[in-house]
Amino acid sequence: MTFLLDVLIIFVFIMWFWLLITVMGDLFRRHDVGGFAKVIWVIFLVLLPYLGVFAYLLTQGSGMARRNMAQAEKARDELRSIVGFSAADELEKLDRLKAAGSISADEHASLRARLVG
């Protein structure tokens, strides 16, 4: 019984620590919050860590999701610019495969529709 309780306590501590790192990362990545507000949040997170994390998640949770999606989109676009992937390049490859006879007209149409849509 104590083993399960120990495992639960360790799990909750790791989860809280992960949430704290996520909140701090989001807080310091934000450009819409000034330095003074960031200091207040950090003091709140240090003095009352559990309450601070939960308060940040309740008040800023939806914004965190939007910022994470925007960051993922930006990273995807940067990767595409480095790798050179674009819909136009893929359409050109499809046309070459169709001209070479590697794919049928039906396959070409379905793949083209997936790329364009």
Side-chain angles (χ1 to χ4, degrees), residues 55-106:
Y56 190 86
L57 290 175
L58 285 173
T59 60
Q60 308 296 322
S62 62
M64 284 177 69
R66 283 193 304 274
R67 287 185 291 276
N68 282 338
M69 290 297 292
Q71 183 182 8
E73 186 74 27
K74 182 180 174 187
R76 188 179 320 121
D77 291 342
E78 287 175 2
L79 182 63
R80 283 184 178 163
S81 70
I82 292 170
V83 172
F85 171 80
S86 70
D89 293 337
E90 294 301 312
L91 289 173
E92 183 181 326
K93 289 178 190 176
L94 279 176
D95 291 339
R96 284 197 313 261
L97 287 172
K98 182 182 174 194
S102 299
I103 59 173
S104 68
D106 292 336

Side-chain angles (χ1 to χ4, degrees), residues 20-58:
L20 182 66
I21 290 171
T22 303
V23 164
M24 289 289 217
D26 181 67
L27 181 63
F28 286 109
R29 259 185 296 173
R30 293 179 70 171
H31 299 291
D32 61 329
V33 175
F36 185 72
K38 287 181 184 181
V39 168
I40 297 298
W41 271 112
V42 168
I43 290 171
F44 191 49
L45 289 168
V46 169
L47 293 180
L48 300 168
Y50 289 102
L51 188 60
V53 167
F54 294 137
Y56 190 86
L57 290 175
L58 285 173

